[in-house]
Amino acid sequence: MHARNIITLLLIIVGGLYWGLVGLFQFDLVAAIFGGQEATLSRIVYVLVWLSALWQLMAFVKSFSDGEVRAERNVR
């Protein structure tokens, strides 16, 4: 697994845990850590999680036509 895939997968997991906190407790951990939803660092984290999801989505879609292992090798 490429380092890029590991990093994006980790960010997606962080995003999932984040949304669990929002859904269950109405607690925005990213905003609490970085100074609010409008803070530049918070927005960077949100965008990085979004870009990670897009990256993993490309591998997911490609896996339907190439098979999982080949799709992971071909996403660059």
Side-chain angles (χ1 to χ4, degrees):
M1 192 179 258
H2 298 310
R4 181 175 41 227
N5 287 342
I6 293 171
I7 292 167
T8 57
L9 188 56
L10 178 64
L11 284 170
I12 290 171
I13 291 168
V14 167
L17 294 172
Y18 162 80
W19 281 111
L21 288 173
V22 171
L24 292 172
F25 306 110
Q26 296 179 344
F27 179 68
D28 187 339
L29 181 62
V30 174
I33 292 172
F34 296 112
Q37 288 183 339
E38 297 300 318
T40 302
L41 286 175
S42 294
R43 297 187 72 170
I44 290 170
V45 170
Y46 298 142
V47 169
L48 287 174
V49 171
W50 173 69
L51 289 172
S52 297
L54 290 178
W55 181 261
Q56 291 295 329
L57 182 64
M58 290 188 310
F60 177 72
V61 169
K62 193 159 184 70
S63 72
F64 285 109
S65 61
D66 289 351
E68 185 176 348
V69 174
R70 284 193 60 198
E72 198 171 280
R73 276 191 229 129
N74 293 330
V75 174
R76 298 183 202 276

